[in-house]
């Protein structure tokens, strides 16, 4: 069953689109948050992008809460942040046209500081 709220397990990423669900905060550390879909319980790892750290990109977190809490503390979360970025790239082909529009709008707002423009 695909969740009608977050689209899990088919959906792996949520860019800062107006269609993105409002998740429930669980924890945050080192510029990343762990949130949960209130409908299906799927965990999502969110990273805020500029401007004003107000553009959230979410990636489905495949493990438990505990694993995220451990990994985000290692090297200020460096490994987790590169995992997050690589997931965004890996699943970019699954983005909808609405998603692509949201990313394009963010790219313009941030002068190319969205995760798809950065090296
Ligand atoms: Zn869900």
């Amino acid at each position: 069953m695909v969740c009608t709220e977050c689209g899990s397990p088919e959906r792996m990423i949520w860019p800062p689109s107006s269609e993105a669900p409002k998740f429930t905060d669980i924890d945050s550390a080192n510029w990343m948050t762990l949130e949960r879909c209130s409908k299906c319980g799927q965990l999502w790892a969110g990273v805020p992008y500029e401007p004003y750290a107000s553009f959230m990109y979410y990636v489905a977190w495949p493990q438990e809460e505990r694993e995220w809490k451990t990994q985000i503390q290692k090297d200020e979360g460096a490994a987790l942040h590169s995992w997050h970025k690589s997931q965004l790239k890996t699943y970019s082909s699954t983005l909808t046209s609405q998603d692509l529009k949201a990313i394009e709008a963010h790219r313009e707002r941030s002068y190319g500081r969205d995760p798809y423009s950065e090296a």
Side-chain angles (χ1 to χ4, degrees):
M1 282 288 281
V2 176
C3 177
T4 53
E5 183 72 14
C6 72
S8 173
E10 280 187 2
R11 192 179 257 279
M12 299 297 286
I13 52 187
W14 273 108
S17 149
S18 57
E19 293 184 328
K22 182 78 191 86
F23 297 124
T24 306
D25 287 334
I26 296 176
D27 199 4
S28 68
N30 289 322
W31 288 94
M32 196 181 290
T33 65
L34 185 67
E35 302 180 29
R36 174 181 280 128
C37 172
S38 55
K39 189 152 195 177
C40 71
Q42 173 65 45
L43 295 169
W44 293 86
V47 173
Y49 281 76
E50 301 297 353
Y52 312 118
S54 57
F55 290 81
M56 293 294 290
Y57 284 78
Y58 292 99
V59 168
W61 176 246
Q63 295 172 278
E64 300 296 319
E65 205 175 310
R66 198 179 46 217
E67 277 81 21
W68 184 89
K69 286 180 177 173
T70 307
Q71 291 194 38
I72 198 63
Q73 297 304 338
K74 288 182 191 158
D75 297 327
E76 300 179 332
L80 213 46
H81 276 278
S82 51
W83 168 83
H84 193 276
K85 212 167 253 189
S86 87
Q87 289 294 95
L88 288 175
K89 300 239 159 85
T90 301
Y91 291 100
S92 62
S93 62
T94 67
L95 292 164
T96 66
S97 58
Q98 193 73 19
D99 293 339
L100 293 170
K101 264 184 219 158
I103 294 166
E104 186 57 41
H106 174 220
R107 182 167 301 150
E108 282 173 21
R109 262 315 287 289
S110 67
Y111 303 101
R113 284 185 290 167
D114 64 282
Y116 292 98
S117 296
E118 288 175 349

